[in-house]
Amino acid sequence: MNHLQELSSIELIQYLQEKKSVALFVYTPMCGTCKLAARMLGIMQEALPAVPLYQININTAPALAEQWQVTSVPALLIFQRNELVARHYAIQSVGFLYDVLKPLA
């Protein structure tokens, strides 16, 4: 079950400025692959509870999507000190997510 905190664009900008690192799951509600990725991220949230993991519906944040050059969903964006440092489009497996998110814990 996916319990990632949904952020608005305004909340997201604030979190990026406040937190050292942020993992952001970018999705659309009608995307089947996004639903599968969200389930895997839910597992990661339980395995790595210290990781600041949030989600945003790309439909509600088109300006941010353009700014960060998000070309498709699902996407996992990694931010360090308010700077986009990694962009992942292929959410292949729970193991892959663990390797990507573990350094943020």
Side-chain angles (χ1 to χ4, degrees):
M1 187 88 125
N2 177 19
H3 295 293
L4 299 182
Q5 183 180 345
E6 180 87 23
L7 297 178
S8 68
S9 296
I10 293 162
E11 290 169 322
L12 176 58
I13 297 301
Q14 183 180 347
Y15 276 48
L16 290 176
Q17 291 170 351
E18 291 173 359
K19 298 183 184 300
K20 189 174 83 170
S21 60
V22 170
L24 180 68
F25 175 56
V26 182
Y27 75 98
T28 61
M30 300 305 291
C31 164
T33 310
C34 296
K35 289 178 174 61
L36 179 61
R39 284 199 290 274
M40 289 191 279
L41 285 163
I43 293 167
M44 284 300 89
Q45 194 169 36
E46 292 191 21
L48 299 168
V51 172
L53 182 57
Y54 305 99
Q55 67 181 11
I56 194 164
N57 178 345
I58 199 75
N59 296 330
T60 66
L64 293 178
E66 187 175 330
Q67 177 184 336
W68 296 326
Q69 300 172 345
V70 176
T71 56
S72 68
V73 293
L76 182 64
L77 307 181
I78 308 297
F79 295 88
Q80 297 280 350
R81 292 177 182 80
N82 201 14
E83 185 179 330
L84 179 60
V85 296
R87 193 183 289 115
H88 302 279
Y89 293 109
I91 315 290
Q92 299 123 336
S93 66
V94 170
F96 165 79
L97 286 173
Y98 186 86
D99 291 343
V100 168
L101 296 173
K102 178 71 173 138
L104 304 181

